[in-house]
Amino acid sequence: MEFIRRSLIHCKRRTHSIGTNSWRCNYSVKKEKVPLAEGPFPRRVVTGLQPTGALHIGNYFGVLRRCVQLQDQGDDLMLFIADLHALTTYQDPSALQDNILDVAASALAAGVDPARSVLFVQSAVPRHAELCWLLACLASHARLAHLPQYKERAQNNKEVGVGLLLYPVLQAADVLLYRAARVPVGADQLQHLQLCAQLVKTFHHRYGRLFPVPQPLLPEDGCDRLRSLRDPSKKMSKSDPDPKSRILLTDSDEVITLKVRKAVTDCNPKVTFEPESRPGVANLVLLHCLACDLLPEEAVEEADGLTTAQYKAVVARALCARLGPMRARALELRAQPRLLRDVLRAGATRARARADVTLHDVHAALGLAPGSADRTLRAANE
Ligand code: AMP
């Protein structure tokens, strides 16, 4: 696609242009008790998506759309495809390669612009794993074993891999490697970010100040908690065995319409927004809001006089209109694997240079062998 080619050229020239934000979305920055480290840190956000299967609308509204909004507001966005995180469960190697390109195509189709943002594959920057080890040496086993996601998996499985225990430490490394001051997260990731803040505090106490304490960027529009269409008590998830529980970014209009029609609601036909007592209907309202940029009360007003069954048709139409053009762009991009690999390679080169600078400072602080970032590299990347 022409705009991606142009972006690649821009990216090589390292130009930065800032677009406008056309969507309504408010973020709240939760104040942590730990103070921000002093020092000039870039206005940078870092986040990742696992290449563990086709992306769903939760990934789009919860991550990609937010990333594009931040990019368009002038933040320095680093979006990585988290293949190292994906390895906490078995991944078929050739499917993993395909999934990486699928995520890259979806990210670009959603509006991530390689001229302004850095899109790359996590394993192409070995410093993620290196910093993970260094931070793991600061983390306590008890703290990691008490994190809810680990505890939940440990309860349901006889054998739990060490990778799962270290997963939040790798997340901390992902963020600290680029000295990101802000991290777009969902409410269920807050504890992991608090662990990251704790690791920064321990690092600063022992070795001196090197990192900003990352602040969570929590959305206020509910986009971080889209529910399963089949069981609204659960989050929409890639790993749900029921494919009707989620709408994929690759789903056709017919499939989207069918999945919305089959969405579980309740026996009250009126459309209201009551997430606690009527989670299934509230999920439909939320989807309508996200697709059409509405507030819940506006969506409920539009649904006045409709039954939930009739309202499902409205929601399905809104989703098809919102997702259709992006799906077409993603399919077009997915048919050009060389172009996608070029974008990812260029992104990895930029990410590696930034990561080298951080690790150079970390090595010096810890008394390790000198890092590889020289002055020229530093000047080029700060
Ligand atoms: P994953 O690739 O499964 O790690 O998910 C990547 C990101 O997508 C996570 O950080 C979540 O914030 C977001 N996400 C996943 N599922 C949902 C959902 N049901 N609703 C909103 N956001 C979601």
Side-chain angles (χ1 to χ4, degrees):
M1 288 182 106
E2 191 49 37
F3 94 95
I4 303 286
R5 281 200 192 88
R6 277 204 307 272
S7 292
L8 266 173
I9 294 164
H10 281 178
C11 157
K12 280 178 189 149
R13 289 186 193 146
R14 304 187 52 77
T15 57
H16 290 265
S17 61
I18 293 169
T20 52
N21 171 32
S22 57
W23 287 306
R24 181 195 316 189
C25 184
N26 300 314
Y27 293 110
S28 65
V29 177
K30 193 165 179 281
K31 291 267 175 290
E32 293 294 319
K33 280 188 194 127
V34 199
L36 268 172
E38 286 139 26
F41 293 109
R43 183 174 157 181
R44 184 170 289 159
V45 286
V46 175
T47 193
L49 278 167
Q50 292 192 64
T52 44
L55 297 187
H56 55 70
I57 52 174
N59 302 128
Y60 171 64
F61 287 116
V63 180
L64 285 176
R65 180 196 59 135
R66 295 172 72 196
C67 283
V68 172
Q69 287 166 342
L70 291 164
Q71 164 192 276
D72 291 348
Q73 284 164 16
D75 280 272
D76 179 4
L77 169 69
M78 301 194 68
L79 176 62
F80 63 94
I81 302 175
D83 55 348
L84 296 178
H85 283 284
L87 290 182
T88 50
T89 52
Y90 172 75
Q91 303 297 323
D92 173 77
S94 69
L96 185 62
Q97 284 291 307
D98 284 342
N99 289 338
I100 286 172
L101 296 185
D102 288 345
V103 175
S106 294
L108 296 171
V112 172
D113 173 2
R116 289 181 279 158
S117 297
V118 184
L119 176 66
F120 64 103
V121 181
Q122 187 186 26
S123 63
V125 186
R127 299 294 201 181
H128 284 257
E130 184 183 354
L131 187 57
C132 176
W133 168 254
L134 300 176
L135 294 173
C137 294
L138 304 179
S140 90
H141 178 273
R143 173 97 205 251
L144 297 181
H146 268 90
L147 288 167
Q149 285 185 7
Y150 176 79
K151 271 188 8 197
E152 195 185 304
R153 293 261 202 115
Q155 266 165 12
N156 299 334
N157 296 293
K158 263 194 197 157
E159 292 253 324
V160 188
V162 176
L164 209 60
L165 186 73
L166 284 179
Y167 188 101
V169 183
L170 182 56
Q171 281 182 321
D174 299 333
V175 170
L176 298 181
L177 196 51
Y178 304 106
R179 292 166 155 145
R182 300 187 307 156
V183 187
V185 283
D188 59 350
Q189 288 295 314
L190 266 181
Q191 299 217 28
H192 289 184
L193 202 62
Q194 281 158 3
L195 171 84
C196 179
Q198 186 62 48
L199 290 171
V200 170
K201 212 173 142 189
T202 308
F203 188 100
H204 288 173
H205 181 68
R206 294 191 191 170
Y207 304 109
R209 288 178 174 269
L210 269 194
F211 304 106
V213 179
Q215 306 290 302
L217 272 176
L218 286 164
E220 286 174 353
D221 61 1
C223 68
D224 58 331
R225 29 173 204 278
L226 286 184
R227 306 264 138 213
S228 155
L229 297 178
R230 303 299 295 163
D231 177 358
S233 68
K234 296 194 300 197
K235 216 173 147 177
M236 188 180 285
S237 160
K238 282 188 210 137
S239 56
D240 193 314
D242 185 349
K244 289 203 186 73
S245 66
R246 57 188 171 269
I247 294 171
L248 303 179
L249 297 186
T250 46
D251 281 344
S252 65
D253 286 358
E254 291 70 31
V255 173
I256 294 174
T257 307
L258 180 77
K259 287 180 177 174
V260 176
R261 196 183 322 135
K262 297 264 177 205
V264 169
T265 52
D266 52 38
C267 48
N268 177 354
K270 200 168 156 40
V271 177
T272 61
F273 186 65
E274 295 165 86
E276 293 299 322
S277 54
R278 305 190 66 203
V281 179
N283 202 32
L284 290 176
V285 173
L286 192 53
L287 288 176
H288 188 195
C289 290
L290 291 168
C292 296
D293 193 19
L294 295 172
L295 294 171
E297 51 273 30
E298 292 168 337
V300 170
E301 209 178 300
E302 274 197 26
D304 192 32
L306 298 180
T307 63
T308 47
Q310 291 165 330
Y311 184 54
K312 283 177 177 178
V314 173
V315 175
R317 268 199 304 277
L319 283 171
C320 292
R322 178 68 188 257
L323 301 173
M326 189 169 66
R327 177 181 62 223
R329 278 201 301 278
L331 289 174
E332 216 179 300
L333 283 160
R334 189 60 185 87
Q336 303 176 70
R338 280 177 63 179
L339 175 67
L340 295 174
R341 289 198 186 96
D342 282 350
V343 170
L344 294 173
R345 208 173 296 118
T349 303
R350 291 171 68 191
R352 269 196 299 272
R354 292 175 175 188
D356 279 351
V357 172
T358 304
L359 260 291
H360 174 86
D361 294 346
V362 171
H363 275 228
L366 267 62
L368 299 173
S372 58
D374 63 22
R375 272 218 192 107
T376 333
L377 193 59
R378 181 180 295 274
N381 290 290
E382 285 188 342

